[in-house]
Amino acid sequence: FPVHLLNDSKKLSPEKRENISIIIRHLAMDWATGWAWPGEIDRVNIHHATLLAMARAVRGLTLEPHFIYVDGKFVPRVKGECEAVVKGDTKIHEIMAASILAKTARDIWMVQYSQQKPEYEFHLHKGYPTKRHRLLVKKYGISPIHRKSFKITFPG
């Protein structure tokens, strides 16, 4: 795999992430995406929902992994050996690749959801609480994909 293409997904432009994600999906032995939904985040908090999404991604694999790296301090409940690596998305190629796949999947989903709820402009901010996003939430209220537990501050 051309690991020189990998980087912290936050440091790559959306276009670069998309191009690299195509290569990852084509060359990786296996990959899967896990999701957690707004109601789950509200019920168990963002930390536990993130671990749940990680576990779902692992369960979505067709091959059983021998070892799993996770970005952060905690590992999900999965079968097999895991290691949490703080700032792993800047150090571990497998975590970089997973982060790129996760962000591109999220971006695609945001664009698709934006077609259903164009007034929120999810295709532009991808769910990040930008000033424009916060203004749109103030104007239209929260959408079905907003977490009710997230306390958004409104500009002005």
Side-chain angles (χ1 to χ4, degrees):
F1 186 89
V3 294
H4 67 279
L5 296 174
L6 298 174
N7 198 350
D8 178 349
S9 64
K10 296 179 292 299
K11 295 179 181 175
L12 298 169
S13 70
E15 295 77 23
K16 269 197 170 168
R17 276 197 307 264
E18 180 58 36
N19 290 335
I20 295 168
S21 75
I22 292 167
I23 295 167
I24 294 168
R25 290 191 306 266
H26 181 71
L27 295 178
M29 292 176 61
D30 201 3
W31 63 273
T33 305
W35 299 88
W37 303 105
E40 293 173 314
I41 298 168
D42 290 334
R43 265 193 317 281
V44 301
N45 76 37
I46 190 70
H47 166 71
H48 288 100
T50 300
L51 294 173
L52 178 62
M54 289 179 197
R56 288 174 175 162
V58 172
R59 286 194 306 268
L61 296 170
T62 55
L63 301 173
E64 189 172 326
H66 298 288
F67 190 86
I68 301 162
Y69 283 113
V70 176
D71 187 29
K73 294 181 182 180
F74 303 95
V75 297
R77 292 184 188 179
V78 293
K79 193 167 73 171
E81 191 176 349
C82 280
E83 180 182 344
V85 180
V86 175
K87 297 188 187 272
D89 56 353
T90 66
K91 302 172 186 174
I92 307 289
H93 292 128
E94 293 85 350
I95 295 175
M96 292 176 194
S99 181
I100 290 167
L101 292 178
K103 275 197 179 47
T104 55
R106 187 269 330 268
D107 289 354
I108 290 166
W109 195 80
M110 288 277 105
V111 169
Q112 291 172 343
Y113 190 73
S114 193
Q115 293 169 0
Q116 295 175 31
K117 296 283 187 183
E119 64 272 22
Y120 290 97
E121 300 178 359
F122 287 111
H123 63 289
L124 297 176
H125 55 70
K126 307 297 191 291
Y128 286 107
T130 62
K131 182 177 181 181
R132 178 77 179 149
H133 183 183
R134 291 178 287 143
L135 286 170
L136 294 169
V137 170
K138 186 175 184 178
K139 182 175 181 178
Y140 297 109
I142 61 169
S143 78
I145 67 164
H146 282 101
R147 318 178 246 152
K148 292 174 181 66
S149 58
F150 183 70
K151 303 299 180 220
I152 193 163
T153 57
F154 296 106

